[in-house]
Structure formats: C-alpha cells, structure tokens
Amino acid sequence: MRLEVEITGKTFRSATSGTHEVLAPLKFALHSGEVGVLIGPSGCGKSTMLRIILGLDHEFQGRIARPPQARIGMVFQEPRLLPWRSVEQNVRLAAPDVTDAKLSELFRILELEAHRSHFPGELSLGLARRVALARAFAVEPDLLVLDEPLASLDDALAGRLRDEIATLVASRPVMTLLVTHSLDDAVRLGDRLFFLSPRPARILAEVPIAIPRDARADAEIAAIKAGLARRIQGEQGDERAGRDVS
Amino acid sequence: MLRLLSFALFLLIWWIAALFVGGAKLPSPPAVLEVMIAEASSGALFLHLGATLARVALAFVLAMSLGSAIGYLMGRVRLADKLGDPWLILLLNLPALVVIVLAYIWAGLTEAAAIAAIAINKLPTAVVTLREGTRALDRSLDEMASVFAMPRWRAFRHVVLPQLAPYIAAAARSGLSLVWKIVLVAELLGRPNGVGFEIGVAFQLFDTPRLLAYSLTFAAVVLVIETLLVQPFEARATRWRPRAA
C-alpha cells in the first residue's frame, strides 16, 4: 500500500481580506511500514494538509492517491471522543470488528483497563488522549494519522506514550503520518522527516533516517538531532543568502 | 414532603376562598371531589379523559416526528432553511384559534381536523428547537465519524442523536404543555367528547363544580405524565453531563 500526496495549491477565502494561500505545491509519498513525520511551525498549514489527505476537505488543487479500501485510524489534536459513550463504547463504535482479546491488549498497553466504563468527561486530558490512541489502533488501520498526539502532556507521560506508539506501529505494517513540532518526537519515531516552511507550506527538506527505530539509543538520537540542526541552520543560511542576492 | 405541604397549602387557600366567595362561584374541595367521584363511577370521566389523551398523544407524536425531521433538515441544509423560514415565522405567530377554526371549516368537524389543527400549532416550536439543536452539532465529531468510516445510521444514532436529545426533550416538554392547552380549545369548538367538550357544557350551565372536577382531574393527569414520562426521559438524555451544582 502506498499513499501519494500531490497538492498543487490550496487557497482559503476569508471574509475580510480576499484569498490566502495556505499550501504551496508539495509532493510526497509514504509506503506501508513507514513513519513519515511532518515538522513545521505552528499555523503553517499542517492540519489543513491532514484534512485534505483524510478526505475531509475536497477544495484543493492536486491529487491524493490512497487505496480506497484503506482503513484510517486518526488521532486528532483534541481527543474528539463521544462524551455520551463510555471509553469502551467509544473504541468499539469506531472499530466494530475489534475482538475482545485485542481490545483488552490495547487497554493493557495504554493502561486504560480501570477506565473502560468511564465517560470521557471523567478522564484527564492524558487519559482521553490514550483513549483516542486506542480507538485509532483498534481499527487496525492501513493509514494511521497522528496530529500532535503528545502535545500538552508532561514529559514523562509523553515519553511513555511515544514508546507505546512505537510498539504499536511496529506490531503491524501501517503507513503512519505524524504531525509534530517536537524534533525529539520526530527523530525517535520517524523514518522520514519532512520539514515544512511557514505558510504557505512547502517541503523544505526530506530527511530519511536510516537507523531502525528500535536501534536508536540516546547517543544515536543526539547525533541525528545534531546533524539536523546543522542542516537546518545551513538551509536557513542559504535561504537568507538567496534572498540577499535577489 | 415539601411538595405535599405545598399541595396542602393550596387546598387550604382554596377552601378558605370558597368560604368567602360562596359555593356557586367557587365550590369547596369536598363538593368538587363529590362530582369527580360521581362522574368517575358513571364512567363519563374516563371516557372524556381517554378521548382527550388519545388526541394529545396522536397530535403530539405527529408534530414531534414531523417537526424534528423538518428542523433537522433546516439545520443541515441551507436551502431548506431559506425556503422554510418564512413559513415557520408565519406558523409560529398564527393564533391557535385561527388554525383550529380554519381546520374545522375546511375539513369539517372531524377527528382528523382536530388532530391536524393541534399538531400544526405545535409543529413550528418543535422545528425551531430542533433546528437550533442541529445548528449546534459539533462538526469535529462529524469529521471523526467520517474519518473512521462509520456507517450513516451508526453515526446518526451515536454521534448526532445524543447531541439532539436535550433539544428533543426540551421540544417535547414545551410542546406537551402547548398541546395540553390547545386540545381543550379544539374540543370545545368542534368535538362531541373530551375534557374540553365537558368544560364547554359546564360553562353553558354555569356548573362550576363540574368544570373544576374535569379541569383538576385533567391537570392531575398532566402532572403524572410529566413526572413519570417526560422528566425521566430528560434525565436519561443528559445523564452523561456533569450535574450543575
């Protein structure tokens, strides 16, 4: 399976001041088993891009190719749970085919066993995010989209959830698209990193990470980050130089 | 306990007032109870009450289901809202009496005319409430349902309907109280039975005990239905919400 994204442009019409360009032409592809990471400044159009890829927004120029039968698991920025259904029902409604064993395993990994029958209003944000993760994984997705799933969580919890995501991603072949602005998350989880420019977003650089995810110890991660930092600085330098010339 | 006390206070005030005003204008509670028992034992009370309740039930179900469907459509589809809005404003401001009289003139003094007239009176408020509820639906949850490819019916049942439930409950509540009032007018004007008809007869004979016997029994039935049916439904529809302090 393969996800191909080729957006040639997306403009947004605002009520007051005409049209804004949200996305510049951009193109990338993702294969099964790969984790692609979109990294960019806030407000650069990442969420707009995700909405287009998910088929929620049809008003754009370009083409999205994903297998029509591909099952999608999505973790939105906010948990987006149904407040009037219990934790277990929330997961089962999105994933009616999930087996009891699979569900128990997911709840065990995400430490949600004690909260099965709770309503989302009774959960902390961290717990609600884990339910959203459980829901996305329960559908056994072919395409998993994570929109800043670890934002606004404390470091310890974010670290644990990141490990859980890595475990779950490794357990089956799935195309994963992660949006984040944490370089640390990107380097720990990603196979290929796409650095986006400020609005209108375009891909500044595509950086593959060759070391397999589970072989990345702290030393390797520090090295990759240092390399990236040099690269980003270099590119920003180039861009500045280019602007100076023009 | 407090409710009982409050009820006892009401009876007491009534009784005292009856002593001052005199039995012809305001009969005392025992006098009214006597008429109630007489009417009940002859079976007339239940017959009239039953006829009225059947009309209420039919008109209510008709208006609620039609009104909810139209309100949902108007909340979802802009065109439907634009087309339907003038009609809605007209219906909302049309006096109940006009609708009832016109229905009897056009369709004759029939059961169908009475029920249709009551339903038309209740319809616009249900439409307005449900349209508001539909407009307030959480788009982000719709998106969630669409991304997870929930089938339409499942999404409607688990994502949309629970959001509409408080609005449906509110529409049912206000609608029922409206129907209770209008049904008696419709019966008074053109039906040969029902509580409204009996009240009309009592009015013509200036028979205050009979008037009070029928209207109070009717009020008691309304109270029982409100507490046993409507309130539990409302509580259930909003049970996932944290209680207000």
Side-chain angles (χ1 to χ4, degrees):
Chain A
M1 257 189 212
R2 189 174 145 90
L3 171 75
E4 284 175 49
V5 177
E6 190 180 350
I7 296 169
T8 52
K10 160 81 186 169
T11 50
F12 172 73
R13 217 178 305 276
S14 77
T16 47
S17 51
T19 57
H20 300 276
E21 206 182 347
V22 189
L23 299 177
L26 53 87
K27 185 178 173 178
F28 65 90
L30 206 61
H31 298 273
S32 262
E34 260 187 334
V35 179
V37 185
L38 300 170
I39 311 165
S42 307
C44 78
K46 295 181 298 256
S47 292
T48 310
M49 199 195 306
L50 286 190
R51 290 171 53 82
I52 290 174
I53 293 171
L54 292 168
L56 293 172
D57 187 343
H58 299 285
E59 287 167 13
F60 67 101
Q61 293 90 52
R63 190 177 65 91
I64 305 293
R66 58 180 153 88
Q69 77 282 9
R71 271 178 304 197
I72 301 176
M74 170 80 196
V75 178
F76 294 91
Q77 255 177 52
E78 342 73 72
R80 294 202 192 181
L81 304 172
L82 302 174
W84 41 84
R85 293 287 182 266
S86 70
V87 165
E88 182 169 347
Q89 285 170 321
N90 260 285
V91 175
R92 282 190 187 274
L93 280 171
D97 300 330
V98 72
T99 61
D100 288 348
K102 169 89 185 164
L103 196 65
S104 301
E105 194 202 342
L106 268 176
F107 281 162
R108 188 183 51 75
I109 294 175
L110 294 168
E111 291 173 33
L112 288 167
E113 287 145 315
H115 304 286
R116 266 180 185 245
S117 56
H118 288 179
F119 286 105
E122 302 167 312
L123 304 177
S124 65
L125 180 63
L127 279 168
R129 280 191 191 283
R130 278 188 260 169
V131 177
L133 275 172
R135 179 174 65 184
F137 282 108
V139 301
E140 308 211 317
D142 303 304
L143 171 62
L144 176 66
V145 180
L146 308 162
D147 190 358
E148 303 195 17
L150 306 176
S152 75
L153 296 178
D154 66 69
D155 288 347
L157 183 59
R160 280 207 349 261
L161 279 184
R162 192 171 49 220
D163 292 344
E164 281 155 11
I165 294 172
T167 314
L168 291 163
V169 165
S171 66
R172 52 188 313 274
V174 51
M175 303 178 279
T176 307
L177 201 54
L178 169 71
V179 168
T180 180
H181 42 227
S182 151
L183 195 60
D184 199 49
D185 290 343
V187 170
R188 283 173 195 273
L189 284 173
D191 296 311
R192 280 196 293 146
L193 316 186
F194 304 98
F195 288 90
L196 301 176
S197 71
R199 198 165 171 161
R202 64 193 171 83
I203 295 176
L204 289 173
E206 182 180 332
V207 182
I209 298 180
I211 310 167
R213 218 179 342 269
D214 44 7
R216 285 175 215 162
D218 285 342
E220 279 86 4
I221 283 161
I224 298 169
K225 273 162 84 172
L228 282 172
R230 272 200 304 280
R231 218 177 141 158
I232 291 167
Q233 270 169 5
E235 256 160 41
Q236 279 174 349
D238 287 350
E239 209 159 76
R240 230 169 274 137
R243 222 174 278 147
D244 286 345
V245 170
S246 68
Chain B
M1 196 57 222
L2 271 175
R3 278 161 170 262
L4 273 180
L5 205 71
S6 159
F7 181 67
L9 190 70
F10 166 73
L11 282 181
L12 189 72
I13 293 172
W14 174 10
W15 209 321
I16 293 169
L19 288 177
F20 279 103
V21 179
K25 276 192 178 159
L26 183 61
S28 63
V32 172
L33 188 68
E34 204 176 301
V35 181
M36 268 186 205
I37 292 167
E39 289 290 309
S41 56
S42 79
L45 184 70
F46 301 112
L47 188 82
H48 292 300
L49 216 51
T52 300
L53 282 179
R55 282 180 198 123
V56 166
L58 271 171
F60 177 77
V61 168
L62 199 68
M64 275 304 290
S65 45
L66 214 59
S68 301
I70 296 173
Y72 183 69
L73 191 73
M74 284 177 76
R76 281 276 192 197
V77 185
R78 275 185 79 89
L79 183 70
D81 189 37
K82 286 228 165 94
L83 289 177
D85 203 51
W87 293 66
L88 198 61
I89 293 169
L90 178 76
L91 277 178
L92 268 173
N93 295 295
L94 203 60
L97 191 62
V98 175
V99 178
I100 296 167
V101 170
L102 280 178
Y104 280 145
I105 289 175
W106 289 335
L109 296 178
T110 59
E111 201 63 62
I115 287 166
I118 301 164
I120 287 170
N121 273 301
K122 194 251 164 304
L123 187 76
T125 59
V127 172
V128 168
T129 313
L130 264 291
R131 180 177 64 176
E132 251 3 273
T134 309
R135 280 178 181 163
L137 285 176
D138 189 343
R139 293 291 290 264
S140 71
L141 292 179
D142 274 352
E143 289 182 359
M144 185 278 292
S146 140
V147 165
F148 282 99
M150 276 195 203
R152 256 162 192 272
W153 168 242
R154 200 192 312 154
F156 184 76
R157 199 180 137 201
H158 297 283
V159 181
V160 174
L161 217 49
Q163 295 182 69
L164 292 182
Y167 291 88
I168 295 173
R173 223 59 213 263
S174 69
L176 204 56
S177 62
L178 193 70
V179 170
W180 290 134
K181 288 169 195 156
I182 294 169
V183 69
L184 296 196
V185 181
E187 286 174 346
L188 177 87
L189 287 175
R191 292 280 77 215
N193 52 27
V195 176
F197 168 79
E198 274 301 316
I199 286 174
V201 171
F203 176 44
Q204 282 159 27
L205 303 174
F206 270 68
D207 188 347
T208 332
R210 190 182 174 84
L211 199 151
L212 282 179
Y214 270 96
S215 37
L216 286 179
T217 321
F218 181 65
V221 170
V222 172
L223 201 69
V224 167
I225 290 179
E226 285 275 339
T227 35
L228 291 189
L229 253 68
V230 180
Q231 285 178 12
F233 170 70
E234 214 170 10
R236 202 185 137 69
T238 56
R239 90 202 122 105
W240 53 275
R241 288 195 179 162
R243 292 271 159 271

